[in-house]
Amino acid sequence: MTETSPKIQTSPPSPTPSPSPPPSEQFHETVPLTAEHLLTNRRPEPAGGWRRIVWLLSGRKIIPAESLAEQERRTLIAQAQTPVASGHHRIAVMSLKGGVGKTTTTVALGNTLASLRGDRVIAIDANPDRGTLGLKVKSETAATIRTMLAEAPHILRYADARAFTSQSPARLEVLASDTDPAVSEAFNADDYRTVAGLIERYYSICITDCGTGLLHGAMGATLELADQIVLVSLVAVDGASSAAATLDWLTAHGYADLVKTAIVVLNAVEPKSDVDVELLERHFSSRCRAVIRIPYDPHLKEGAEVDLVRLRPTTRGAYLRLAAAVGQTFGQRPDRGH
């Protein structure tokens, strides 16, 4: 009987180890090495609610994680705070129909941006007739846009321009128009270009409260210089039709790019309405970049000065979403042909 030799198990040869990366490449971390990420005591303290109570009861040591709503709010604020890459950004707030809250939207948007940013934000009244923008902030001067035009050669620094504006508690500056139609003069395209050139020197963001007509003198220059438009409409059949007609007119007259990047504001939205708000939103969303609903608010119904503190939280949140939507374009450098 022959004996068979036992089989010897041999393991497969181990793969040749790959060379180690250089020391400079052995630790690659995608998180920015900033104080906010490296220092554990740099997490923002809770502004309110149960998170702040826990933080205070723990001797300011425990900071509970933010809720989804708080994270969204922080994101919106960051978008509204986007630096203006071009140095100056012009927003035209428009409506073909009067009485839809165009001027209120101008001031509320301006107040929201000014309250969140460190640079200068101004709203100007480009209505060809009597404008009401100056009534939305506490007046600090009797000067108007016409006064600034007359003194244009002497405006050489920011302090000179500031003498013609009133400032809200949120730091928004307002350049008003004449409130007396008997003494007001027509405001034409050349006038707007002159004022826009002055504003560009000293302010990062200019929000223009346009007139209701599309053919008046200043509107051509306003659209020519605008980087962005905000179109305001009420949730009503005639208001929605007017807003849609405005988009049609802009597209037909060479402003299709402004239409694509436009933001439509559905203003003073009631909790219950016979108008299909969802259908309105879908229609404008298919034509423009964003649609923002602003809820009805008793403070805005007063028609007086716009104070962010007196707005309902839901209304302030809606204007924050509007400011964030506008702010998302601040980082772009528009190729102006003018």
Side-chain angles (χ1 to χ4, degrees), residues 21-31 33 38:
S24 61
E25 299 179 6
Q26 289 182 5
F27 184 80
H28 178 70
E29 181 59 68
T30 58
V31 176
L33 301 181
L38 292 176

Side-chain angles (χ1 to χ4, degrees), residues 205-229:
I205 300 168
C206 176
I207 308 173
T208 300
D209 181 19
C210 303
T212 52
L214 289 170
L215 301 177
H216 66 75
M219 183 57 81
T222 302
L223 292 172
E224 174 191 330
L225 296 176
D227 298 304
Q228 189 174 20
I229 63 172

Side-chain angles (χ1 to χ4, degrees), residues 56-213:
L56 292 173
L57 292 177
S58 67
R60 306 192 177 195
K61 295 179 180 178
I62 299 175
I63 302 179
E66 291 182 323
S67 66
L68 292 178
E70 290 168 320
Q71 293 176 29
E72 180 189 21
R73 174 176 168 78
R74 188 174 298 281
T75 299
L76 293 174
I77 291 174
Q79 291 170 342
Q81 293 174 334
T82 302
V84 179
S86 63
H88 186 71
H89 191 88
R90 297 188 181 99
I91 305 165
V93 182
M94 304 175 56
S95 172
L96 193 63
K97 180 178 172 58
V100 301
K102 173 176 55 64
T103 300
T104 298
T105 300
T106 299
V107 177
L109 170 61
N111 274 329
T112 304
L113 287 170
S115 69
L116 297 173
R117 302 177 60 87
D119 49 8
R120 299 180 187 133
V121 183
I122 188 170
I124 67 174
D125 197 335
N127 279 278
D129 305 309
R130 179 181 182 270
T132 59
L133 184 68
L135 302 178
K136 302 298 182 181
V137 297
K138 185 177 180 181
S139 178
E140 295 178 337
T141 176
T144 65
I145 197 167
R146 182 63 58 184
T147 314
M148 175 178 273
L149 276 169
E151 296 295 324
H154 308 293
I155 300 176
L156 305 176
R157 53 182 182 168
Y158 166 67
D160 298 330
R162 177 67 179 88
F164 297 91
T165 67
S166 297
Q167 190 175 64
S168 74
R171 292 182 53 253
L172 171 70
E173 292 184 41
V174 168
L175 179 59
S177 64
D178 290 315
T179 57
D180 185 354
V183 300
S184 64
E185 301 176 40
F187 189 68
N188 60 37
D190 289 338
D191 293 335
Y192 182 82
R193 289 189 184 94
T194 300
V195 171
L198 288 171
I199 295 300
E200 184 174 7
R201 299 181 197 170
Y202 310 112
Y203 299 84
S204 297
I205 300 168
C206 176
I207 308 173
T208 300
D209 181 19
C210 303
T212 52

